[in-house]
């Protein structure tokens, strides 16, 4: 389909982008890699009067380490996230999950910040940054604002970003030494996940000292499987204990019903995939 008419601007700096967004208000949409916004425009599910293209702002790209925290620019591509040695060292779960996103063409164009700001609960990366206890950095007319991942995703395709704010980066505490795995079920290759599970585990003398489990497509936002996390704390790192804890993975979730599966089917998948993901992380 042909998208609706809109004006287009390409700011050269974060400050210019923020001023543009502040002037346009809710009538503007930010264009990053285009892998989320362009399909919405083509299907006429979004009707912005102004598209603000931030793809040429160099300060929005790059990956660095700052006092044990991984700092990733919002415009950093999925491809660069996968290949970067700092990401692999400090946030291996993010690299592993990003490698499962769509196909190589999308991963070369799509960006970490664009995926998170789009906030599709079926997307892989929102649940991952939730499990990583990441902090998302926004810049607006009032300056910089740090938003914990647990507070960033508000509802389906809705975030805590204000209309005049731009997501500029993601800060991730190092999980070097943790086990990790991302497990998802999809009907066909490169499709959205019917359900996905992002698992992080930390061992201590043969026991599970701590675990973090993010759930993809189990509600209108990414969720943490808090009941399973609690059940895993202090247990022996063996399959039976993991399987028992995984039975609680769907507690407190509200999965949707669509042609890909009923809520009951998704709840069953959450249990199965959580068990698989945690066991893989332990290996």
């Amino acid at each position: 389909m042909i998208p609706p008419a809109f004006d287009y601007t390409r700011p050269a700096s974060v400050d210019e982008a923020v001023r543009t967004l502040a002037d346009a208000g809710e009538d503007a949409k930010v264009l990053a890699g285009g892998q989320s916004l362009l399909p919405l425009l083509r299907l006429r599910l979004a009707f912005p009067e102004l598209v603000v293209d931030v793809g040429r702002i160099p300060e929005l790209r790059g990956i660095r380490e700052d006092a044990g925290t991984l700092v990733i620019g919002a415009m950093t591509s999925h491809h660069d996230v996968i290949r970067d040695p700092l990401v692999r060292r400090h946030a291996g779960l993010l690299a592993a999950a990003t490698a499962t996103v769509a196909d190589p063409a999308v991963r070369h164009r799509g960006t970490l910040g664009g995926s998170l700001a789009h906030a599709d609960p079926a997307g892989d990366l929102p649940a991952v940054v939730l499990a990583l206890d990441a902090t998302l950095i926004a810049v607006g007319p009032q300056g910089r604002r740090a938003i914990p991942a647990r507070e960033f995703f508000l509802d389906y395709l809705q975030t805590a970003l204000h209309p005049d704010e731009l997501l500029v980066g993601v800060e991730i505490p190092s999980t070097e030494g943790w086990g990790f795995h991302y497990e998802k079920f999809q009907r066909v290759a490169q499709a959205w996940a019917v359900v996905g599970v992002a698992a992080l585990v930390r061992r201590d003398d043969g026991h599970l000292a701590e675990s973090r489990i993010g759930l993809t497509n189990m509600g209108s936002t990414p969720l943490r499987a808090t009941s399973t996390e609690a059940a895993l704390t202090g247990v022996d790192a063996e399959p039976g204990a993991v399987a028992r804890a995984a039975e609680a993975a769907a507690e407190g979730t509200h999965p949707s019903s669509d042609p890909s599966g009923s809520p009951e089917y998704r709840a069953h998948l959450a249990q199965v995939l959580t068990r698989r993901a945690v066991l893989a992380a332990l290996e």
Side-chain angles (χ1 to χ4, degrees):
M1 295 179 63
I2 299 173
F6 55 82
D7 291 328
Y8 171 88
T9 185
R10 192 171 69 192
S13 68
V14 169
D15 289 342
E16 183 183 349
V18 169
R19 288 195 300 270
T20 301
L21 291 173
D23 291 341
E26 296 185 358
D27 296 326
K29 286 287 187 182
V30 173
L31 174 67
Q35 303 307 295
S36 299
L37 179 60
L38 292 183
L40 294 181
L41 293 175
R42 286 199 302 268
L43 294 172
R44 292 185 174 246
L45 296 175
F47 297 86
E49 294 186 6
L50 176 66
V51 170
V52 182
D53 183 352
V54 298
R56 301 292 179 90
I57 303 178
E59 59 196 286
L60 293 179
R61 298 181 184 274
I63 301 168
R64 60 184 173 87
E65 180 187 356
D66 184 7
T69 297
L70 189 66
V71 182
I72 307 176
M75 278 296 302
T76 303
S77 71
H78 299 320
H79 174 76
D80 289 344
V81 167
I82 295 166
R83 294 171 60 87
D84 191 87
L86 285 175
V87 177
R88 293 184 177 184
R89 175 182 174 185
H90 294 289
L93 175 63
L94 178 61
T98 304
T100 74
V101 171
D103 55 40
V106 169
R107 294 194 290 270
H108 274 81
R109 292 290 303 172
T111 65
L112 174 61
S115 178
L116 300 179
H118 185 53
D120 192 326
D124 300 296
L125 303 186
V128 171
V129 298
L130 193 63
L132 286 165
D133 281 342
T135 299
L136 289 84
I137 307 301
V139 172
Q142 308 305 316
R144 293 173 67 88
R145 187 163 68 103
I147 311 169
R150 63 182 178 276
E151 300 174 6
F152 184 79
F153 305 101
L154 301 182
D155 205 341
Y156 182 72
L157 304 184
Q158 296 181 28
T159 73
L161 286 173
H162 298 154
D164 57 2
E165 285 184 319
L166 178 67
L167 180 63
V168 298
V170 182
E171 297 181 352
I172 303 174
S174 178
T175 52
E176 184 178 4
W178 289 55
F180 60 86
H181 187 73
Y182 186 67
E183 184 85 16
K184 68 178 176 181
F185 177 80
Q186 53 200 148
R187 289 190 174 274
V188 295
Q190 304 169 5
W192 295 101
V194 178
V195 173
V197 176
L200 280 164
V201 296
R202 181 171 62 85
R203 288 175 180 261
D204 183 14
D205 193 27
H207 294 80
L208 268 166
E210 186 179 356
S211 64
R212 302 182 201 159
I213 300 170
L215 300 176
T216 295
N217 215 7
M218 286 296 290
S220 61
T221 66
L223 300 169
R224 286 275 288 268
T226 54
S227 294
T228 293
E229 291 176 353
L232 286 172
T233 302
V235 303
D236 292 336
E238 54 88 19
V242 171
R244 289 189 292 273
E247 293 177 358
E251 288 186 7
T253 66
H254 303 282
S256 62
S257 179
D258 58 34
S260 294
S262 67
E264 294 78 16
Y265 178 60
R266 284 192 162 91
H268 170 71
L269 279 177
Q271 296 171 359
V272 173
L273 299 182
T274 296
R275 174 177 55 82
R276 293 178 183 175
V278 173
L279 289 175
L282 286 170
E283 294 176 357

